Short mmCIF file of all heavy atoms in Angstrom, two decimals:
data_model
loop_
_atom_site.label_atom_id
_atom_site.label_comp_id
_atom_site.label_asym_id
_atom_site.label_seq_id
_atom_site.Cartn_x
_atom_site.Cartn_y
_atom_site.Cartn_z
N LEU A 134 11.79 8.17 11.87
CA LEU A 134 13.20 8.54 12.05
C LEU A 134 13.74 8.91 10.67
O LEU A 134 13.64 8.12 9.72
CB LEU A 134 13.97 7.37 12.66
CG LEU A 134 15.36 7.66 13.19
CD1 LEU A 134 15.35 8.80 14.22
CD2 LEU A 134 15.98 6.42 13.83
N ALA A 135 14.30 10.13 10.59
CA ALA A 135 14.71 10.68 9.29
C ALA A 135 16.22 10.76 9.18
O ALA A 135 16.93 10.96 10.18
CB ALA A 135 14.12 12.08 9.13
N ILE A 136 16.69 10.61 7.94
CA ILE A 136 18.12 10.85 7.65
C ILE A 136 18.26 11.81 6.46
O ILE A 136 17.50 11.75 5.49
CB ILE A 136 18.90 9.54 7.35
CG1 ILE A 136 18.20 8.67 6.31
CG2 ILE A 136 19.15 8.77 8.64
CD1 ILE A 136 19.01 7.45 5.88
N ASN A 137 19.25 12.67 6.58
CA ASN A 137 19.58 13.62 5.51
C ASN A 137 20.22 12.88 4.34
O ASN A 137 20.69 11.75 4.49
CB ASN A 137 20.57 14.67 6.05
CG ASN A 137 19.87 15.68 6.93
OD1 ASN A 137 18.65 15.83 6.87
ND2 ASN A 137 20.65 16.38 7.75
N PRO A 138 20.30 13.54 3.18
CA PRO A 138 20.87 12.86 2.01
C PRO A 138 22.28 12.31 2.24
O PRO A 138 22.63 11.26 1.69
CB PRO A 138 20.89 13.96 0.95
CG PRO A 138 19.74 14.84 1.32
CD PRO A 138 19.71 14.84 2.83
N LYS A 139 23.08 12.97 3.07
CA LYS A 139 24.46 12.49 3.26
C LYS A 139 24.60 11.47 4.38
O LYS A 139 25.67 10.89 4.57
CB LYS A 139 25.38 13.68 3.56
CG LYS A 139 25.60 14.57 2.36
CD LYS A 139 26.97 15.27 2.43
CE LYS A 139 27.31 15.95 1.12
NZ LYS A 139 26.82 17.33 1.05
N THR A 140 23.56 11.23 5.13
CA THR A 140 23.63 10.28 6.26
C THR A 140 23.33 8.87 5.75
O THR A 140 22.33 8.67 5.05
CB THR A 140 22.61 10.68 7.35
OG1 THR A 140 22.87 12.03 7.73
CG2 THR A 140 22.71 9.77 8.56
N PRO A 141 24.16 7.89 6.10
CA PRO A 141 23.91 6.53 5.58
C PRO A 141 22.72 5.86 6.27
O PRO A 141 22.37 6.21 7.39
CB PRO A 141 25.22 5.79 5.92
CG PRO A 141 25.80 6.53 7.07
CD PRO A 141 25.38 7.98 6.92
N VAL A 142 22.19 4.88 5.57
CA VAL A 142 21.08 4.07 6.10
C VAL A 142 21.45 3.42 7.43
O VAL A 142 20.60 3.25 8.32
CB VAL A 142 20.71 3.01 5.03
CG1 VAL A 142 19.97 1.84 5.61
CG2 VAL A 142 19.91 3.66 3.90
N SER A 143 22.72 3.10 7.59
CA SER A 143 23.15 2.42 8.83
C SER A 143 22.83 3.24 10.08
O SER A 143 22.70 2.68 11.17
CB SER A 143 24.65 2.11 8.78
OG SER A 143 25.38 3.32 8.60
N ALA A 144 22.67 4.56 9.93
CA ALA A 144 22.41 5.41 11.10
C ALA A 144 21.06 5.13 11.75
O ALA A 144 20.88 5.42 12.93
CB ALA A 144 22.48 6.89 10.69
N VAL A 145 20.10 4.58 11.01
CA VAL A 145 18.79 4.32 11.62
C VAL A 145 18.69 2.90 12.19
O VAL A 145 17.79 2.60 12.98
CB VAL A 145 17.59 4.54 10.65
CG1 VAL A 145 17.56 5.95 10.12
CG2 VAL A 145 17.59 3.53 9.51
N LEU A 146 19.62 2.03 11.79
CA LEU A 146 19.44 0.60 12.11
C LEU A 146 19.38 0.29 13.61
O LEU A 146 18.61 -0.58 14.01
CB LEU A 146 20.52 -0.23 11.41
CG LEU A 146 20.49 -0.12 9.87
CD1 LEU A 146 21.51 -1.05 9.24
CD2 LEU A 146 19.09 -0.38 9.31
N PRO A 147 20.16 0.98 14.45
CA PRO A 147 20.08 0.64 15.88
C PRO A 147 18.71 0.89 16.51
O PRO A 147 18.43 0.40 17.60
CB PRO A 147 21.13 1.56 16.53
CG PRO A 147 22.00 2.02 15.42
CD PRO A 147 21.16 2.00 14.18
N TYR A 148 17.86 1.66 15.82
CA TYR A 148 16.59 2.08 16.43
C TYR A 148 15.37 1.44 15.79
O TYR A 148 14.24 1.79 16.12
CB TYR A 148 16.47 3.61 16.32
CG TYR A 148 17.73 4.32 16.74
CD1 TYR A 148 18.58 4.90 15.80
CD2 TYR A 148 18.10 4.35 18.08
CE1 TYR A 148 19.76 5.51 16.17
CE2 TYR A 148 19.29 4.96 18.47
CZ TYR A 148 20.10 5.54 17.52
OH TYR A 148 21.27 6.13 17.90
N MET A 149 15.59 0.51 14.87
CA MET A 149 14.48 0.02 14.05
C MET A 149 13.33 -0.60 14.86
O MET A 149 12.18 -0.53 14.44
CB MET A 149 14.98 -0.98 13.01
CG MET A 149 15.75 -0.35 11.87
SD MET A 149 14.84 0.91 10.97
CE MET A 149 13.69 -0.08 10.03
N ASP A 150 13.65 -1.17 16.01
CA ASP A 150 12.58 -1.77 16.81
C ASP A 150 11.61 -0.72 17.37
O ASP A 150 10.53 -1.07 17.83
CB ASP A 150 13.16 -2.60 17.96
CG ASP A 150 13.77 -3.90 17.44
OD1 ASP A 150 13.31 -4.39 16.38
OD2 ASP A 150 14.71 -4.41 18.07
N LEU A 151 12.04 0.54 17.34
CA LEU A 151 11.19 1.61 17.90
C LEU A 151 10.56 2.48 16.81
O LEU A 151 9.96 3.51 17.11
CB LEU A 151 12.04 2.51 18.82
CG LEU A 151 12.57 1.85 20.09
CD1 LEU A 151 13.62 2.74 20.76
CD2 LEU A 151 11.41 1.59 21.05
N VAL A 152 10.75 2.07 15.57
CA VAL A 152 10.41 2.96 14.45
C VAL A 152 9.22 2.40 13.65
O VAL A 152 9.20 1.24 13.30
CB VAL A 152 11.65 3.10 13.54
CG1 VAL A 152 11.30 3.64 12.18
CG2 VAL A 152 12.70 3.98 14.21
N ASP A 153 8.22 3.27 13.38
CA ASP A 153 7.11 2.88 12.51
C ASP A 153 7.38 3.30 11.06
O ASP A 153 6.78 2.74 10.14
CB ASP A 153 5.81 3.56 12.97
CG ASP A 153 5.40 3.10 14.36
OD1 ASP A 153 5.31 1.88 14.58
OD2 ASP A 153 5.21 3.97 15.24
N MET A 154 8.25 4.30 10.89
CA MET A 154 8.52 4.79 9.53
C MET A 154 9.94 5.36 9.47
O MET A 154 10.38 6.06 10.39
CB MET A 154 7.50 5.90 9.22
CG MET A 154 7.60 6.45 7.83
SD MET A 154 6.24 7.60 7.48
CE MET A 154 6.84 9.07 8.31
N VAL A 155 10.63 5.03 8.40
CA VAL A 155 11.94 5.66 8.14
C VAL A 155 11.72 6.71 7.06
O VAL A 155 11.02 6.45 6.08
CB VAL A 155 12.97 4.62 7.66
CG1 VAL A 155 14.26 5.31 7.21
CG2 VAL A 155 13.27 3.60 8.76
N LEU A 156 12.29 7.90 7.26
CA LEU A 156 12.20 8.96 6.25
C LEU A 156 13.58 9.19 5.64
O LEU A 156 14.53 9.57 6.34
CB LEU A 156 11.70 10.26 6.89
CG LEU A 156 11.85 11.55 6.07
CD1 LEU A 156 11.25 11.43 4.68
CD2 LEU A 156 11.23 12.73 6.80
N ILE A 157 13.67 8.93 4.35
CA ILE A 157 14.91 9.23 3.63
C ILE A 157 14.71 10.56 2.90
O ILE A 157 13.87 10.66 1.99
CB ILE A 157 15.26 8.09 2.64
CG1 ILE A 157 15.59 6.83 3.45
CG2 ILE A 157 16.42 8.50 1.73
CD1 ILE A 157 16.11 5.66 2.65
N MET A 158 15.45 11.57 3.33
CA MET A 158 15.35 12.88 2.67
C MET A 158 15.98 12.78 1.28
O MET A 158 17.10 12.27 1.13
CB MET A 158 16.10 13.95 3.47
CG MET A 158 15.44 14.35 4.78
SD MET A 158 13.73 14.94 4.63
CE MET A 158 13.91 16.34 3.51
N THR A 159 15.25 13.30 0.30
CA THR A 159 15.75 13.26 -1.07
C THR A 159 16.15 14.65 -1.57
O THR A 159 16.45 14.84 -2.74
CB THR A 159 14.71 12.59 -1.99
OG1 THR A 159 13.41 13.11 -1.68
CG2 THR A 159 14.69 11.08 -1.76
N VAL A 160 16.12 15.63 -0.64
CA VAL A 160 16.79 16.92 -0.82
C VAL A 160 17.41 17.26 0.53
O VAL A 160 17.07 16.65 1.55
CB VAL A 160 15.80 18.07 -1.20
CG1 VAL A 160 15.12 17.79 -2.54
CG2 VAL A 160 14.77 18.31 -0.11
N GLN A 161 18.29 18.26 0.53
CA GLN A 161 18.79 18.77 1.81
C GLN A 161 17.61 19.44 2.51
O GLN A 161 16.94 20.29 1.91
CB GLN A 161 19.92 19.79 1.49
CG GLN A 161 20.77 20.17 2.67
CD GLN A 161 21.44 18.98 3.33
OE1 GLN A 161 21.79 18.00 2.69
NE2 GLN A 161 21.59 19.05 4.63
N PRO A 162 17.29 19.06 3.77
CA PRO A 162 16.09 19.62 4.38
C PRO A 162 16.21 21.14 4.56
O PRO A 162 17.29 21.66 4.71
CB PRO A 162 16.01 18.90 5.72
CG PRO A 162 17.36 18.40 6.00
CD PRO A 162 18.00 18.14 4.66
N GLY A 163 15.06 21.79 4.56
CA GLY A 163 15.05 23.22 4.84
C GLY A 163 14.21 24.06 3.90
O GLY A 163 13.72 25.11 4.29
N PHE A 164 14.04 23.60 2.68
CA PHE A 164 13.27 24.40 1.72
C PHE A 164 12.49 23.48 0.78
O PHE A 164 12.98 22.41 0.41
CB PHE A 164 14.21 25.27 0.88
CG PHE A 164 15.04 26.21 1.70
CD1 PHE A 164 16.33 25.87 2.07
CD2 PHE A 164 14.52 27.43 2.13
CE1 PHE A 164 17.09 26.71 2.87
CE2 PHE A 164 15.27 28.28 2.92
CZ PHE A 164 16.57 27.93 3.29
#
Side-chain angles (χ1 to χ4, degrees):
L134 193 55
I136 50 173
N137 284 341
K139 289 209 169 89
T140 304
V142 159
S143 58
V145 301
L146 300 184
Y148 313 106
M149 287 303 286
D150 287 333
L151 294 168
V152 163
D153 297 307
M154 183 173 79
V155 173
L156 166 53
I157 294 187
M158 289 304 301
T159 45
V160 297
Q161 194 57 33
F164 301 96

